[in-house]
Amino acid sequence: MAKVLIIAEHDGTELNPSTAKCVTCAAQLPEADITIAVFSNSPGAVASQAATIESVNRVLAVADDSSEHALAATLAPQIVALMGDYDYAFGPSTTFGKDLMPRVAALAGVNQISDIMSVEGSHTFKRPVYAGNAIVTVKAPDGHPVVATVRTASWPAAGTGNSASVEEIANNAAVPSHTRFVELQSGKSDRPDLQTAARVVSGGRALGSSENFDIIYALADKLDAGVGASRAAVDAGYVPNDMQVGQTGKIIAPELYVAIGISGAIQHLTGIKDAGTIVAINKDEEAPIFDVADIGLVGDLFSIVPELTDAL
Amino acid sequence: MDKILVGLKRAVDYNVRVRVRNDGSGVETDGVKMSINPFDEIALEEALRIKERGEASEVIVVSIGPAEAQQQLRTGLAMGADRAILVESSESIDPLDRARVFLELINREQPGLVILGKQAIDDDNNQTGQMLAAIWDRPQASFASKVELNGDSARVTREVDAGLETIEIDLPAVITTDLRLNEPRYVKLPDIMKAKKKPLDQVPLAEFKIERSPALEETFFEPPSARQKGVMVNDVAGLVSALKDKGLI
């Protein structure tokens, strides 16, 4: 039996959908027995949500005051204290998991498998390297726990309807005080979340200014879409960093991706290659984005985008 | 603070379009341009700025890799690092072992801060900094976009999925860099000449008596499945009807 511990990502009240994607990945392991661990100062509500995910056998609610904010330095020792009972520890390849899981792996004395795209066997996985220009098959050593992050864009979220048992346990691990949360500045919006939206509209450097991004937002609202951006648009200060899509930003897999004024650097394409349908609008017909687009339209985005918004 | 330790990994250049070898044994690196991993260049730039503000006295660049990584260390010295250490090995080294080498260097050099890139653009692992902080039992501030030192602690703003998170960490600590932390300086010719005289220590990896971690085995490389080239439409009406055909609107 493969005993898997999945670390829940949450904001204190809501379970992040990345957790249910980790479950889908873990369920591919032979004879998987899946536990979700919720670390929080008040884990009850999030643990109840986790218990509804299909394929989950049980949920551990680990309450500790130090877990009010997800800090790798305080969570890692708590996770390692539980790991003796498990063969696997999985987290999502979001900034939460990327920060946390290597710290867990190092304390457990193993290397981490980053960004699992597919499960090929009990210890064998595929993952992307070189900005997704190569896929490597990696075998983890037998006889050691497997610590990994799950590439969320490669896995659909597991369904709900389950009612797994929730067990409240106390934390016995010592947690350090050398790392302290100060604040989170969040560009909260009512638009669908970029990482889970079924449709995403993204703008690039060609937009030319922060104000001009309004036409991207207008189209997104018509499509009920999340909004993303290329690195160039973020670097230019048109939009905040949490909108960046690509190798070092968010890797997403919406049903529909509309790339507007984005040339399509390799690093950007890495972030969207799992999208269902890619639409590209660009004035340069030679732009590499057209090599991967399912539907391409060459022309001036400042006339095309408002026209498209009106036509929908 | 006295010293800052910075990691510089020799990696395939950012602009190279990487190709997988036909036999699946790896990616083609013969004749391919190699550079400092871009995130590591940002790490060095940040260390230099801290030193230039008078908040550190020495910047040491470290590379763990083949003898050729001397080129990247020389570039780092030309950017302004004071000295360089090459931990030489031609074999592939897993992140936890890299972290263990760094820890050994920390024990020898006693830096007040270690700055590493958040990930290398070859293996895209994003592990070494966090692992080093773990085994050093010190704070980590990963994906940093702003660093402010205040004596024995630092305030670091991190790029996270939800926006910008600020944390306070006690020093010494490990910081890993994100893209928008700074823009690395260009190297000038006189600096390249000066860098030739700066110390570069070469130490074989075997001299570090680190315990090797259970290794991950990379058994096969393949190219990603390619997307099919799609259709071009002539106008908005064509786009709308193509989207309707696919049932997307």
Side-chain angles (χ1 to χ4, degrees), chain A residues 9 69-73 93-96 98-107 109-115 124 126-141 144 176-187 195 199 223 231 234-235 241-242 244 247-250 255-256 266-267 269 272-279 281 285 290-298 303-305 307-308 311-312, chain B residues 12 14-20 26-27 29 39 42 94-97 99-100 118-143 145 153-155 157-171 178-180 213-225 227-240 242-244 246-249:
Chain A
E9 176 173 7
H69 300 286
L71 296 169
S93 64
T94 56
T95 53
F96 163 77
K98 286 177 178 175
D99 183 43
L100 173 62
M101 300 312 287
R103 192 159 180 127
V104 173
L107 293 179
V110 295
N111 287 286
Q112 173 187 277
I113 310 267
S114 298
D115 306 317
T124 309
K126 287 189 182 184
R127 61 173 299 260
V129 288
Y130 292 94
N133 285 305
I135 309 300
V136 64
T137 303
V138 184
K139 191 174 177 306
H144 297 273
S177 59
H178 55 47
T179 305
R180 298 169 292 275
F181 175 85
V182 178
E183 63 170 350
L184 175 67
Q185 279 177 278
S186 185
Q195 271 170 313
R199 297 165 172 183
L223 286 167
R231 178 188 165 191
V234 178
D235 282 354
N241 69 286
D242 50 16
Q244 183 177 324
Q247 181 188 17
T248 64
K250 288 177 175 148
E255 287 164 28
L256 172 65
I266 302 170
Q267 291 81 8
L269 301 183
I272 60 169
K273 57 197 284 182
D274 296 305
T277 297
I278 297 176
V279 174
I281 299 169
E285 61 185 289
F290 289 121
D291 294 337
V292 300
D294 300 284
I295 308 170
L297 175 52
V298 177
S303 60
I304 290 171
V305 175
E307 194 186 333
L308 177 60
L312 290 171
Chain B
V12 169
Y14 189 73
N15 291 307
V16 170
R17 179 134 209 157
V18 167
R19 303 220 177 276
V20 176
V27 302
T29 49
F39 291 97
I42 294 170
D94 282 333
L96 184 53
D97 292 339
R100 288 174 177 174
K118 77 166 179 181
Q119 73 194 75
I121 60 165
D122 47 13
D123 57 33
D124 281 330
N125 264 323
N126 197 333
Q127 298 181 23
T128 305
Q130 297 90 314
M131 290 183 153
L132 173 59
I135 59 176
W136 191 16
D137 200 13
R138 295 303 306 166
Q140 68 190 46
S142 55
F143 327 145
S145 66
S153 67
R155 260 185 187 226
T157 302
R158 309 176 52 235
E159 297 206 0
V160 296
D161 291 335
L164 294 171
E165 182 192 74
T166 303
I167 59 173
E168 189 178 57
I169 53 173
D170 293 338
L171 300 178
D178 218 314
L179 288 170
R180 278 168 286 275
S213 61
L216 298 178
E217 197 187 335
E218 295 185 326
T219 57
F220 187 69
F221 287 77
E222 60 196 298
S225 48
R227 289 186 75 96
Q228 297 296 318
K229 198 167 163 60
V231 297
M232 298 301 284
V233 294
N234 295 319
D235 50 25
V236 168
L239 174 53
V240 170
L243 287 170
K244 276 189 181 144
K246 285 177 174 280
L248 287 163
I249 54 171

Side-chain angles (χ1 to χ4, degrees), chain B residues 189-229:
Chain B
L189 191 58
D191 296 328
I192 295 173
M193 304 310 289
K194 255 199 318 207
K196 288 183 178 162
K197 298 200 182 90
K198 289 184 179 177
L200 193 163
D201 283 346
Q202 221 164 318
V203 195
L205 176 66
E207 246 176 60
F208 288 69
K209 303 259 182 276
I210 60 157
E211 185 197 338
R212 297 301 289 263
S213 61
L216 298 178
E217 197 187 335
E218 295 185 326
T219 57
F220 187 69
F221 287 77
E222 60 196 298
S225 48
R227 289 186 75 96
Q228 297 296 318
K229 198 167 163 60

Side-chain angles (χ1 to χ4, degrees), chain A:
Chain A
M1 188 166 63
K3 296 193 71 180
V4 191
L5 184 68
I6 293 173
I7 315 307
E9 176 173 7
H10 63 87
D11 62 4
T13 50
E14 294 281 331
L15 185 67
N16 189 291
S18 66
T19 307
K21 296 183 176 191
C22 290
V23 171
T24 305
C25 174
Q28 296 288 307
L29 290 164
E31 297 179 70
D33 178 87
I34 300 173
T35 302
I36 295 182
V38 179
F39 296 91
S40 168
N41 58 334
S42 162
V46 174
S48 311
Q49 294 164 41
T52 66
I53 299 173
E54 292 293 351
S55 311
V56 172
N57 297 84
R58 73 196 64 75
V59 176
L60 300 180
V62 190
D64 196 282
D65 286 345
S66 70
S67 306
E68 182 180 357
H69 300 286
L71 296 169
T74 53
L75 294 181
Q78 300 185 58
I79 295 164
V80 174
L82 296 179
M83 265 178 63
D85 298 333
Y86 297 90
D87 311 303
Y88 301 81
F90 281 7
S93 64
T94 56
T95 53
F96 163 77
K98 286 177 178 175
D99 183 43
L100 173 62
M101 300 312 287
R103 192 159 180 127
V104 173
L107 293 179
V110 295
N111 287 286
Q112 173 187 277
I113 310 267
S114 298
D115 306 317
I116 294 177
M117 300 172 69
S118 76
V119 174
E120 304 290 316
S122 69
H123 285 68
T124 309
F125 307 91
K126 287 189 182 184
R127 61 173 299 260
V129 288
Y130 292 94
N133 285 305
I135 309 300
V136 64
T137 303
V138 184
K139 191 174 177 306
D142 290 323
H144 297 273
V146 177
V147 178
T149 58
V150 173
R151 184 177 181 273
T152 48
S154 297
W155 304 92
T160 55
N162 194 2
S163 51
S165 65
V166 177
E167 189 185 337
E168 290 174 27
I169 60 170
N171 167 45
N172 295 316
V175 294
S177 59
H178 55 47
T179 305
R180 298 169 292 275
F181 175 85
V182 178
E183 63 170 350
L184 175 67
Q185 279 177 278
S186 185
K188 279 253 180 257
S189 87
D190 297 333
R191 294 194 178 85
D193 177 59
L194 176 57
Q195 271 170 313
T196 51
R199 297 165 172 183
V200 170
V201 180
S202 276
R205 198 202 320 252
L207 268 297
S209 74
S210 182
E211 294 72 37
N212 288 346
F213 245 81
D214 286 347
I215 61 173
I216 302 292
Y217 295 123
L219 175 58
D221 289 345
K222 204 64 171 275
L223 286 167
D224 192 24
V227 179
S230 68
R231 178 188 165 191
V234 178
D235 282 354
Y238 304 161
V239 292
N241 69 286
D242 50 16
M243 285 169 59
Q244 183 177 324
V245 172
Q247 181 188 17
T248 64
K250 288 177 175 148
I251 311 273
I252 58 173
E255 287 164 28
L256 172 65
Y257 185 78
V258 186
I260 297 169
I262 292 176
S263 62
I266 302 170
Q267 291 81 8
H268 186 77
L269 301 183
T270 297
I272 60 169
K273 57 197 284 182
D274 296 305
T277 297
I278 297 176
V279 174
I281 299 169
N282 203 296
K283 69 171 191 294
D284 175 11
E285 61 185 289
E286 302 290 323
I289 189 78
F290 289 121
D291 294 337
V292 300
D294 300 284
I295 308 170
L297 175 52
V298 177
D300 176 21
L301 69 93
F302 292 107
S303 60
I304 290 171
V305 175
E307 194 186 333
L308 177 60
T309 305
D310 288 342
L312 290 171

